[in-house]
């Protein structure tokens, strides 16, 4: 089973917020022992709410399950030396610093690979490890803009929109997992590790495979058409009496069935709408006619009628709808994680063989430094060394010293 596919592998995780933590969470979901390295103040993702779970953002909990929390101050010699010892016992490093930062710390690939030729070193950045933009910082929204993704989203004449979920971060995390697993397979053959260059910009372009390919084919810039697909019609959300219904009836038979179901059989042979390309060209007129008919019933009334006619459709669901979605329940995709202080936390779980995978327990995201002492002991540090590192401020253990400062929301 995939939840145990990576048992026995150790990952040292120098990432924060979205892309890197998605990668390392999935590796942890598949059984890898992931050591999440944070500064004594905690990673930035802990403060990016709403919502909140205790003093930390729900976002942090959503990206960091199944990991062991280790807190090191990489601004100190002891913190860096500790990190190097942890890497010496690891198979994989994942880092999301700006290119060059890890090298300046003495933790770059070149500094580590000589003594550790099998090390797989995955570097995640906004724009890649080389090139004119390599030193630019970039987050999900910036790369949604710079990659052209925002030019696809919204309606002409209004502001460009972004996907409100950090889709580029998450896609980049999945790309990084793909790269790491491929490198593991290669290492099994030749024994060699290597550095992997994963970037948000490349992942964002991969998300736009069809639209960018279309642009290079005909040099036509995409038009922002809201919920509609640019390549077929009808394939968009339509207003009903009480909500919105997504309909994909662009195939000839389904278009004819839709027109009949709506009491508009003449529309199927209307010269403006006879083919999908014609319906795309005359989308606005088509949508007005269909919407007038669809607004005569509620979404709940239309759904069984559409399905009985084999017309592809779905309610435009809210997150309230997801919480009671019968297929998500059957798939077991909404996982439950038990936190020792905060109880049950719900989140999307491991997405492959999900019912079986998420039936197994997940470990809650760690508090800052929660497992520092345990991990160091397991890595061969004795109590004297751990005490000296504590005294020097090189590490933080959750069972020693002051707590991480609460974010501003917690004090209000």
């Amino acid at each position: 089973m995939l939840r145990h596919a990576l048992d026995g592998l150790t990952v040292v995780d120098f990432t924060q917020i979205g892309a890197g933590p998605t990668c390392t969470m999935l590796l942890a979901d598949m059984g890898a022992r992931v050591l999440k390295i944070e500064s004594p103040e905690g990673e930035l993702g802990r403060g990016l709410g709403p919502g909140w779970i205790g003093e930390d953002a729900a976002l942090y909990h959503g990206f960091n399950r199944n990991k062991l929390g280790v807190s090191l101050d990489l601004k100190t010699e002891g913190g860096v030396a500790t990190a190097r010892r942890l890497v010496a016992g690891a198979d994989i490093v994942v880092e999301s610093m700006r290119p060059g930062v890890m090298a300046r710390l003495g933790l770059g690939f070149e500094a580590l690979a000589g003594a550790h030729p099998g090390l797989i070193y995955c570097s995640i950045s906004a724009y890649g490890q080389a090139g004119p933009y390599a030193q630019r910082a970039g987050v999900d929204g910036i790369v949604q803009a710079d990659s052209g993704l925002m030019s696809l989203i919204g309606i002409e004449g209004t502001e460009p929109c972004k996907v409100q979920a950090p889709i580029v971060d998450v896609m980049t995390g999945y790309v990084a997992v793909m790269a790491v697993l491929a490198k593991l397979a290669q290492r099994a053959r030749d024994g060699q590790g290597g550095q992997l260059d994963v970037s948000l910009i490349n992942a964002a372009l991969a998300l736009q495979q069809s639209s960018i390919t279309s642009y290079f084919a005909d040099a036509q810039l995409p038009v922002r058409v809201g919920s509609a697909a640019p390549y077929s019609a009808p394939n968009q959300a339509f207003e009903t009496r009480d909500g919105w219904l997504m309909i994909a009836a662009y195939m000839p038979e389904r278009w004819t069935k839709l027109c009949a179901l709506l009491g508009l059989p003449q529309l199927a042979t209307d010269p403006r709408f006879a083919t999908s390309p014609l319906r795309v060209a005359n989308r606005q007129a088509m949508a007005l006619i269909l919407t007038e008919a669809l607004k005569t019933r509620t979404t709940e009334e239309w759904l069984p009628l559409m399905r009985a006619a084999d017309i592809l459709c779905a309610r435009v669901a809210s997150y309230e709808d997801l919480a009671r979605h019968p297929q998500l329940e059957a798939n077991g995709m909404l996982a439950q994680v038990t936190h020792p202080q905060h109880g049950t936390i719900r989140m999307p779980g491991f997405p492959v063989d999900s019912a079986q995978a998420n039936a197994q327990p997940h470990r809650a995201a760690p508090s800052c430094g929660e497992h520092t002492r345990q991990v160091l002991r397991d890595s061969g540090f004795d109590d004297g060394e751990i005490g000296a590192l504590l005294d020097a401020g090189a590490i933080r253990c959750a069972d020693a010293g002051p707590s991480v400062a609460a974010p501003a929301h917690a004090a209000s």
Side-chain angles (χ1 to χ4, degrees):
M1 142 175 217
L2 290 182
R3 284 294 303 274
H4 297 286
L6 303 183
D7 283 0
L9 295 177
T10 294
V11 180
V12 183
D13 173 9
F14 297 97
T15 72
Q16 58 183 345
I17 303 180
T22 296
C23 168
T24 54
M25 178 181 71
L26 292 168
L27 296 174
D29 286 349
M30 290 186 282
R33 175 175 174 260
V34 174
L35 311 182
K36 179 174 180 61
I37 309 299
E38 294 185 78
S39 71
E41 296 76 28
E43 72 135 288
L44 288 173
R46 291 182 181 273
L48 298 181
W52 304 103
I53 298 174
E55 295 181 350
D56 292 320
L59 174 151
Y60 169 78
H61 287 272
F63 284 142
N64 289 287
R65 65 172 176 254
N66 292 325
K67 303 178 187 179
L68 299 173
V70 177
S71 180
L72 307 179
D73 187 347
L74 297 180
K75 297 176 182 177
T76 67
E77 290 184 11
V80 170
T82 301
R84 290 178 68 92
R85 282 181 66 177
L86 294 178
V87 170
D91 301 275
I92 300 157
V93 166
V94 184
E95 60 93 6
S96 61
M97 308 283 192
R98 203 177 302 193
V101 170
M102 289 291 278
R104 289 194 291 274
L105 290 171
L107 295 169
F109 174 69
E110 292 78 8
L112 301 174
H116 198 343
L119 180 67
I120 296 170
Y121 192 101
C122 181
S123 295
I124 300 174
S125 63
Y127 290 99
Q129 296 299 302
Y133 282 24
Q135 290 303 312
R136 292 192 183 186
V139 294
D140 180 274
I142 296 298
V143 177
Q144 285 199 40
D146 206 14
S147 68
L149 184 59
M150 284 176 64
S151 75
L152 304 179
I153 305 171
I155 299 172
E156 287 297 307
T158 63
E159 66 174 306
C161 297
K162 68 186 286 290
V163 181
Q164 293 300 304
I167 188 171
V168 173
D169 275 351
V170 172
M171 175 66 171
T172 304
Y174 275 80
V175 170
V177 169
M178 175 189 70
V180 168
L181 295 180
K183 196 65 178 173
L184 280 168
Q186 187 177 52
R187 189 181 73 173
R189 295 194 300 272
D190 62 19
Q192 296 300 303
Q195 187 171 18
L196 300 167
D197 182 359
V198 177
S199 66
L200 273 67
I201 191 72
N202 286 2
L205 295 179
L207 278 169
Q208 301 170 75
Q209 194 81 17
S210 61
S211 52
I212 292 175
T213 304
S214 295
Y215 169 74
F216 285 125
D218 60 18
Q220 296 296 308
L221 289 171
V223 176
R224 290 187 288 130
V225 288
S227 66
Y231 47 79
S232 62
N235 190 3
Q236 67 189 81
F238 292 93
E239 191 173 4
T240 66
R241 183 187 294 170
D242 66 344
W244 292 85
L245 183 64
M246 183 71 186
I247 298 174
Y250 51 88
M251 301 75 103
E253 288 187 6
R254 288 192 171 114
W255 168 242
T256 301
K257 290 179 180 179
L258 177 65
C259 293
L261 179 62
L262 298 181
L264 301 167
Q266 73 282 3
L267 212 61
T269 54
D270 188 308
R272 297 171 296 171
F273 312 130
T275 66
S276 181
L278 285 170
R279 293 191 291 274
V280 169
N282 296 288
R283 188 195 312 276
Q284 187 172 8
M286 177 203 67
L288 287 172
I289 297 168
L290 296 183
T291 298
E292 185 177 359
L294 287 161
K295 288 179 74 172
T296 62
R297 298 177 188 259
T298 66
T299 300
E300 196 60 33
E301 289 172 326
W302 281 121
L303 284 168
L305 297 174
M306 297 266 180
R307 289 167 182 158
D310 190 34
I311 295 167
L312 303 182
C313 62
R315 176 194 308 278
V316 178
S318 69
Y319 281 8
E320 289 176 326
D321 295 320
L322 292 188
R324 52 179 180 264
H325 196 299
Q327 189 59 48
L328 298 189
E329 182 178 355
N331 289 352
M333 183 55 189
L334 294 179
Q336 297 191 24
V337 177
T338 302
H339 192 281
Q341 281 80 47
H342 307 306
T344 298
I345 301 171
R346 298 184 73 194
M347 65 183 70
F350 189 70
V352 182
D353 295 332
S354 51
Q356 182 183 22
N358 296 314
Q360 293 199 13
H362 291 282
R363 180 192 293 118
S367 62
C368 187
E370 178 178 348
H371 304 101
T372 303
R373 192 182 300 275
Q374 170 194 330
V375 167
L376 295 191
R377 283 174 173 165
D378 292 345
S379 300
F381 289 74
D382 62 36
D383 287 345
E385 290 175 300
I386 294 171
L389 290 167
L390 276 170
D391 291 343
I395 66 172
R396 178 180 181 275
C397 298
D399 57 354
S403 300
V404 177
H409 82 278
S412 60

